[in-house]
Amino acid sequence: MKKIKVLGMGPGHRDYITPRVLQEIESAEIIVAGKRILDSIEVNDKKIIYITRDLNVIVDKIKANYKKSTVAILLSGDTGFYSMLKFLKTHFDKGDMEVITGISSMQYMFSKIGETWDDAYITSLHGRELDIVEKVKRHSKVGILTDKKWSPQNIAKELIRSGITNKRIYVGEHLSYDDEVITSGTMEEIASREGYRMCVVVIMDE
């Protein structure tokens, strides 16, 4: 029986896509992915299903095809780290899917700043609400996926309002791409800057 291939595409640049994932993409007949991911690979004559906000429509298209064609779903980062896999598991049995991991943006970020992340509290503020002040107070090292509302600037401002100023913040923007920027600064320095793009933040004791 054909299985749906759920593939982790890494932080963004093709150099960080694993050889196994590239092999699976090559052998797939149907690719399910967002436009940004598709820009990083060659799909040739494969059928494309674009991932949009209406995920239920995507599921219906996959269900209509996967038993007769090899379907590969391309997910940014790692399949097990704040990915679409949780949603897919509510619509398909585990036996219907083969999950192949990738490199997460969080792994990549910690490597770029030369730090381990097995001792860090890892979370996401992407479309979520979380008491980030409490987490930063309790943990000496925190990794955060951000969104437009919870930008590095707004995170720093919130921590300053709560009296937390003795931390250093690392901000990674466009990780793995040619225009990657990694910034390190105090709370005040990060809070004073505007225009951050979608990024990963690491907060550590000074």
Side-chain angles (χ1 to χ4, degrees):
M1 184 183 76
K2 291 182 180 290
K3 289 195 174 187
I4 302 165
K5 304 301 178 84
V6 184
L7 311 177
M9 295 294 289
H13 195 282
R14 182 184 173 90
D15 287 352
Y16 292 91
I17 304 173
T18 68
R20 172 65 189 281
V21 167
L22 288 172
Q23 290 171 9
E24 294 293 347
I25 292 171
E26 181 63 29
S27 62
E29 298 165 277
I30 299 174
I31 300 292
V32 182
K35 186 178 184 305
R36 182 179 71 84
I37 286 178
L38 289 170
D39 287 343
S40 67
I41 61 171
E42 295 179 6
V43 292
N44 300 320
D45 56 350
K46 300 178 189 300
K47 179 180 177 181
I48 303 298
I49 298 174
Y50 287 94
I51 294 178
T52 62
R53 292 191 177 188
D54 193 343
L55 296 181
N56 289 314
V57 171
I58 306 303
V59 166
D60 289 342
K61 290 180 178 180
I62 295 170
K63 286 182 176 180
N65 286 281
Y66 83 96
K67 290 185 178 180
K68 56 188 178 183
S69 302
T70 304
V71 176
I73 305 174
L74 314 187
L75 305 181
S76 62
D78 174 43
T79 52
F81 186 67
Y82 294 101
S83 80
M84 187 180 165
L85 180 59
K86 283 184 180 179
F87 174 80
L88 293 171
K89 287 172 62 179
T90 66
H91 293 274
F92 299 95
D93 293 334
K94 280 188 177 182
D96 292 328
M97 298 185 290
E98 181 179 0
V99 180
I100 301 174
T101 189
I103 299 170
S104 72
S105 58
M106 193 65 68
Q107 286 175 284
Y108 181 93
M109 180 63 178
F110 271 96
S111 73
K112 292 297 287 188
I113 65 174
E115 291 288 341
T116 60
W117 65 305
D118 57 349
D119 54 345
Y121 177 83
I122 305 298
T123 190
S124 173
L125 291 175
H126 189 76
R128 304 171 70 233
E129 292 297 328
L130 180 75
D131 187 350
I132 193 60
V133 172
E134 185 266 341
K135 300 302 181 186
V136 172
K137 284 182 176 178
R138 285 185 56 194
H139 302 275
S140 61
K141 189 185 294 183
V142 177
I144 307 168
L145 299 180
T146 69
D147 64 6
K148 290 182 179 179
K149 177 183 176 181
W150 284 107
S151 65
Q153 181 186 36
N154 289 339
I155 291 170
K157 286 181 177 179
E158 181 69 16
L159 295 174
I160 291 170
R161 277 194 292 268
S162 301
I164 300 174
T165 57
N166 61 336
K167 301 276 187 176
R168 176 157 289 271
I169 303 185
Y170 297 86
V171 179
E173 302 174 77
H174 278 208
L175 294 177
S176 80
Y177 291 101
D178 293 339
D179 59 346
E180 170 184 287
V181 177
I182 296 181
T183 307
S184 170
T186 64
M187 290 288 175
E188 292 79 6
E189 288 169 340
I190 300 301
S192 65
R193 181 188 157 192
E194 298 180 354
Y196 289 102
R197 297 167 292 179
M198 293 290 286
C199 51
V200 176
V201 165
V202 174
I203 303 171
M204 297 175 54
D205 290 343
E206 288 274 25

